[in-house]
Amino acid sequence: MQTTKEFKNLQIKTFINLGAAALFSLLLFPIHFDISALAFPIAIIYTALVIYITIFKTYKKTDGSHVFAVIKLTEYLPYVLFITFILRRAGNEGTPFWYDVITVLVWFVIFVLSYLTSRVLYPKKNKKIIQGWALPPKEKKYHGGLYILTEAASWIDALVWSIFTIMIFQIFILQLYEIPSESMVPTFLVKDRVFVSKLDCGPKFPLTDVGLPDFRKYKRGDTIVLRNPHYTIDRKSEVKTVTSQLIYMFSIMTVNLNKDENGELKADPLVKRITGLPGEQLLMQDGVLYTRTSESDDFKAAETDEKFAMWNLSALPAKIKNGVNAFPLSSTDYQAMLDLEEKRRNYDLEAAALQAKSLSMRMEKLAFKENLKGSFTAPELFEYQLLRDVQDISRRIITQEGGIEWFNSFMTSWLDEKDQVKDMYTEANFRLNVMTKITFGQLALRYAELFTSGLSSSSYSSDKELAQYYEMAEVLNWYIQLLDQRNMPLFPSNDSQGNPQYIPDNCYFMMGDNRFNSLDLRHANDYSLKPLSTCDKMSVQYYSIMEPQYINKKYIIGKPIFRFWPLNRMGKV
């Protein structure tokens, strides 16, 4: 029987396509007997089924009764093999880069040819293909129960096809993203939905480094979507992440297994703003981001950052404020913070040095010289605990052996460093530490005076001098709790010789716009007790979450380009 030229061309493309599918399946041959071993039999069985139905049941016999089965099997072929590609790399061991490159190239051939061959097999689209066939294709019409089953199968087919298509589309081209937190207020509100461009950000095949190059040139102020570096990003976690994403899509977004070890949904990926560039060293003080490069020793304010950094949410327009749930600071608190920062900047360290010595001498005069009861145990230097327990500490200072010596050391341990040159952050924290110590000393001395005067402790609450010192103590404690959201030390930190270090090539630093409500690249996951000032061996301590880090651009997975929901905030990002 004579066939048309169009059919012969189709056969050639089909043979190449199925040959590539067979080669792809062989490339999945397992080396380790773990979950990756499942990829090979799945790919072989599916490819063999497509070859049998296409070549032996349809093309060889020119039997059009199986054409629609061929179309569907061919359409699904690249997607099924894509799943096996991921499965092969989900085992305990990875695969070499060169091996991944070859496999991806073969898959791309399959993807293109499967699309081309399945399209032309539809009888209404290319009748020349089936001219001269022994049995031309014909759509069967069903009735009753068979009709319901075929309709259901059609809907399932459409659903699966759409899931596969969305999967490829979201991995390589454009992804829908819902804003999960308020870290980017006012740019984004919770539940805002945006389109995230991935095509120019170097999308990669899952569990490999093979993909498109990163065409985008990033600059300060760009909003990006990135992998959350607070989670471990290793082979095991990547397998879990990719698997959960596939299940999430195939379950029509009803099953999300992307959870941490505590069973909580991971905050991954994140949307943040680029604030630090390769070749820069950063410092943030009093809410202003400063940068310098190897070409200049001087820090300059990053003016671009000032346009986006949001500190006082109460000053937002009403239409934005209505969509904000958490306001870390009221307008009154915000002004109180600015006032304290101004006071710290103007704080007279020379006067504070005289005051520290005076407090020590006055305390020594109140100390019991005889009948000391026990040895003084130095208190924890956690600032909140010091200020909270100051009454008890004061009593022990003057009644226990070694108390006065500790108090004198604590109050004056910073004096040798007060005239040393420091960067803005170090100087600011040094002054804050001194202010806290002086306030503690004033409270301790006043309690000692009241204690030695013989007044009952019930009268302490009405003491105006104590009330004044406690007011300052509360403000200091409150501000210290804001410290790691408001400021950031030199980053990257200088080396051991004091030489500046800079963000490496292809690496970036990011923060959220809502600086008081953003767990970003400034911070660690957990708090730890650290000295407020590194220039004072007896510095007060505070619970810090500060642990700045940069990330390589390979962990940038996209850029928000358009907000499509809610409708009243629709627009370009």
Side-chain angles (χ1 to χ4, degrees):
M1 180 181 58
Q2 190 171 0
T3 55
T4 63
K5 177 181 178 182
E6 287 78 8
F7 179 55
K8 290 180 180 179
N9 289 336
L10 174 63
Q11 285 181 306
I12 293 173
K13 293 177 183 177
T14 301
F15 291 147
I16 295 173
N17 188 31
L18 296 180
L23 174 60
F24 184 94
S25 300
L26 293 175
L27 288 170
L28 301 178
F29 189 82
I31 300 176
H32 305 279
F33 289 96
D34 50 25
I35 191 172
S36 63
L38 293 175
F40 178 70
I42 293 173
I44 282 290
I45 292 171
Y46 190 86
T47 301
L49 177 63
V50 179
I51 291 174
Y52 175 72
I53 297 294
T54 303
I55 303 300
F56 296 99
K57 298 293 290 182
T58 303
Y59 286 6
K60 189 175 181 180
K61 297 180 179 181
T62 62
D63 184 352
S65 62
H66 302 291
V67 160
F68 293 102
V70 171
I71 290 172
K72 289 304 172 186
L73 288 171
T74 304
E75 285 178 343
Y76 287 141
L77 179 61
Y79 302 106
V80 172
L81 295 184
F82 188 82
I83 298 297
T84 61
F85 175 90
I86 297 173
L87 193 60
R88 173 64 179 84
R89 284 146 186 83
N92 297 325
E93 302 292 336
T95 48
F97 178 77
W98 64 267
Y99 191 84
D100 290 338
V101 171
I102 293 173
T103 311
V104 165
L105 291 175
V106 174
W107 180 86
F108 185 74
V109 171
I110 298 168
F111 180 80
V112 173
L113 290 179
S114 292
Y115 176 80
L116 294 176
T117 55
S118 63
R119 293 302 91 188
V120 299
L121 271 175
Y122 281 97
K124 294 180 179 180
K125 291 188 176 182
N126 197 339
K127 295 183 179 180
K128 292 184 179 180
I129 293 290
I130 59 173
Q131 284 182 4
W133 277 27
L135 185 62
K138 183 179 180 181
E139 290 192 65
K140 296 180 180 179
K141 295 183 179 181
Y142 298 97
H143 303 279
L146 286 178
Y147 174 79
I148 295 174
L149 288 176
T150 55
E151 283 297 306
S154 176
W155 279 99
I156 293 172
D157 168 65
L159 178 61
V160 173
W161 174 254
S162 64
I163 290 173
F164 276 134
T165 303
I166 290 172
M167 178 181 68
I168 298 297
F169 194 79
Q170 289 204 138
I171 289 174
F172 296 105
I173 301 174
L174 197 69
Q175 184 174 0
L176 304 183
Y177 183 76
E178 182 178 275
I179 305 301
S181 72
E182 295 191 339
S183 68
M184 285 295 289
V185 171
T187 306
F188 297 119
L189 302 180
V190 174
K191 300 295 184 181
D192 277 2
R193 290 173 173 82
V194 296
F195 289 118
V196 176
S197 171
K198 303 184 76 173
L199 188 61
D200 56 351
C201 293
K204 301 291 186 288
F205 276 72
L207 304 179
T208 76
D209 290 325
V210 181
L212 297 175
D214 189 346
F215 297 110
R216 183 173 289 278
K217 301 298 182 183
Y218 302 103
K219 62 183 183 298
R220 193 182 345 267
D222 283 349
T223 54
I224 50 92
V225 176
L226 71 151
R227 296 298 308 276
N228 189 342
H230 295 106
Y231 298 114
T232 301
I233 302 179
D234 56 15
R235 176 164 190 77
K236 183 178 179 181
S237 66
E238 287 300 272
V239 169
K240 184 177 179 180
T241 296
V242 170
T243 303
S244 65
Q245 288 173 343
L246 293 176
I247 293 174
Y248 185 64
M249 282 187 282
F250 279 104
S251 66
I252 319 176
M253 296 180 286
T254 59
V255 179
N256 191 343
L257 301 180
N258 193 24
K259 299 179 180 180
D260 60 21
E261 60 274 9
N262 299 319
E264 300 292 333
L265 287 177
K266 284 186 175 181
D268 186 26
L270 301 173
V271 57
K272 301 296 178 187
R273 192 179 299 279
I274 291 178
T275 53
L277 304 174
E280 292 184 335
Q281 187 179 44
L282 310 174
L283 182 149
M284 190 162 69
Q285 186 56 48
D286 295 344
V288 179
L289 181 68
Y290 297 90
T291 71
R292 70 176 174 186
T293 66
S294 59
E295 299 176 357
S296 174
D297 292 333
D298 297 327
F299 277 101
K300 296 181 180 179
E303 295 180 1
T304 305
D305 187 68
E306 294 178 7
K307 298 177 181 177
F308 302 108
M310 174 52 60
W311 297 103
N312 184 14
L313 297 183
S314 298
L316 288 172
K319 64 178 182 180
I320 300 294
K321 285 174 64 176
N322 291 337
V324 178
N325 298 315
F327 290 83
L329 298 182
S330 65
S331 293
T332 303
D333 290 338
Y334 181 72
Q335 186 58 51
M337 179 191 70
L338 297 181
D339 291 342
L340 181 64
E341 290 175 343
E342 182 68 18
K343 183 173 183 178
R344 185 212 64 228
R345 286 192 291 268
N346 296 326
Y347 193 65
D348 189 338
L349 290 178
E350 292 295 338
L354 295 175
Q355 194 173 11
K357 294 174 183 177
S358 174
L359 289 168
S360 294
M361 289 188 294
R362 292 169 63 188
M363 183 70 87
E364 188 173 2
K365 291 179 180 178
L366 297 174
F368 290 14
K369 304 299 182 182
E370 299 177 359
N371 300 322
L372 295 175
K373 299 179 181 180
S375 298
F376 182 80
T377 301
E380 296 291 333
L381 296 182
F382 174 37
E383 55 84 21
Y384 173 77
Q385 194 167 320
L386 274 175
L387 297 171
R388 182 197 65 185
D389 299 338
V390 62
Q391 181 178 348
D392 176 65
I393 296 171
S394 174
R395 179 186 56 78
R396 293 193 295 113
I397 286 172
I398 62 174
T399 61
Q400 293 181 344
E401 185 175 353
I404 287 296
E405 289 77 8
W406 176 87
F407 184 75
N408 180 64
S409 296
F410 178 74
M411 294 303 301
T412 61
S413 59
W414 56 275
L415 295 180
D416 291 341
E417 293 290 332
K418 69 180 177 64
D419 295 323
Q420 298 297 318
V421 177
K422 308 173 188 70
D423 62 73
M424 284 182 284
Y425 177 88
T426 305
E427 178 67 24
N429 279 19
F430 182 79
R431 289 168 175 267
L432 193 61
N433 171 60
V434 173
M435 293 170 71
T436 306
K437 284 191 164 193
I438 294 297
T439 301
F440 169 83
Q442 290 170 326
L443 282 166
L445 177 63
R446 184 55 182 161
Y447 271 121
E449 290 172 342
L450 294 172
F451 179 75
T452 56
S453 70
L455 293 174
S456 66
S457 57
S458 60
S459 65
Y460 295 177
S461 60
S462 60
D463 187 83
K464 294 182 178 180
E465 193 171 340
L466 277 179
Q468 178 185 348
Y469 298 147
Y470 268 119
E471 184 178 351
M472 186 62 189
E474 289 175 1
V475 174
L476 287 168
N477 173 66
W478 168 74
Y479 182 78
I480 289 171
Q481 292 181 61
L482 300 175
L483 198 64
D484 287 0
Q485 278 72 36
R486 183 66 170 166
N487 310 291
M488 185 178 72
L490 282 175
F491 176 73
S493 57
N494 294 341
D495 65 16
S496 57
Q497 284 74 44
N499 299 313
Q501 302 298 298
Y502 305 98
I503 298 174
D505 291 341
N506 297 319
C507 294
Y508 297 86
F509 179 75
M510 296 89 171
M511 289 189 283
D513 290 351
N514 187 4
R515 298 288 159 84
F516 278 130
N517 191 12
S518 176
L519 182 66
D520 50 44
L521 297 197
R522 293 171 291 172
H523 304 134
N525 267 341
D526 301 311
Y527 287 86
S528 59
L529 201 58
K530 294 181 180 179
L532 182 56
S533 173
T534 56
C535 300
D536 180 2
K537 62 184 179 181
M538 293 186 71
S539 169
V540 300
Q541 299 174 342
Y542 77 113
Y543 276 98
S544 171
I545 200 173
M546 184 65 70
E547 194 176 294
Q549 60 181 308
Y550 48 74
I551 66 163
N552 192 286
K553 69 176 183 178
K554 70 179 182 180
Y555 295 117
I556 297 176
I557 60 177
K559 186 181 189 311
I561 56 174
F562 189 81
R563 182 193 300 105
F564 65 91
W565 188 265
L567 296 179
N568 62 348
R569 285 168 43 79
M570 180 184 293
K572 182 180 178 182
V573 177

